Amino acid sequence: MIRGQGGVTEGSGRPEPDEVEDDSDDDAVLEESPCGRWQKRKDEVTQKDVPGIDETYLAMDTEEGVEVVWNEMKFSERKDFRKQRTRLEKIFDNLTLLQHNNIVKFYRYWIDSKQGGTSQATRVIFITEYMTSGSMGQFLRRTKKNNKTVNLKMWKRWCRQILYALRYI
């Protein structure tokens, strides 16, 4: 996944008095990472066209104080996870090493194997940066839907960012 630089600047982070609500249910923690850094919330994130990822949720990074995405890949007993485990670990280890401004940050992963009844459900859980503006494809669809055009300067900036990321990889 490739991301652009810049974007929306954040304000003070303090809610306006009329925006303060009791949303304790919305912030309920469903699960926590083994290290305790990331807390999965019930808010699902829609990620279309991402093969292999079964569920995605918003999570909170308790060290940095930012929202991240909690991704889950589920392996049933039909899928031979043991054969794929070494390959998956190598891929995920390499993804955690990528450090570039135009590539979505991949924080950490872990494997969760739990015995449930007679079957074993294995999950690979990984944490990524949360991109609030969505993908470039989503932006272009919204632009087209609103009958707006993207100027040449913006196209050039996007192409340059993609090329920088590809050169890094």
Side-chain angles (χ1 to χ4, degrees), residues 9-49:
T9 57
E10 296 181 356
S12 66
R14 285 183 236 117
E16 295 295 321
D18 59 340
E19 293 177 4
V20 176
E21 298 177 9
D22 182 24
D23 56 353
S24 58
D25 282 347
D26 293 340
D27 293 337
V29 175
L30 298 179
E31 192 173 348
E32 195 170 80
S33 65
C35 65
R37 178 176 176 178
W38 296 284
Q39 297 176 335
K40 174 180 163 183
R41 298 194 319 233
K42 69 178 183 178
D43 303 322
E44 289 194 43
V45 177
T46 304
Q47 292 198 14
K48 297 177 183 176
D49 304 326

Side-chain angles (χ1 to χ4, degrees), residues 17 23 57 60-61 65 74 93 100 104 120 152 155-156:
D23 56 353
Y57 297 90
M60 180 57 77
D61 181 340
K74 295 181 181 178
D93 287 338
H100 193 274
V104 172
Q120 179 175 345
L152 184 61
W155 279 108
K156 286 180 180 180

Side-chain angles (χ1 to χ4, degrees), residues 31 40 72-74 110-112 121-125:
E31 192 173 348
K40 174 180 163 183
E72 296 182 8
M73 296 171 58
K74 295 181 181 178
W110 63 93
I111 297 169
D112 180 32
T122 301
R123 297 183 303 164
V124 177
I125 301 168

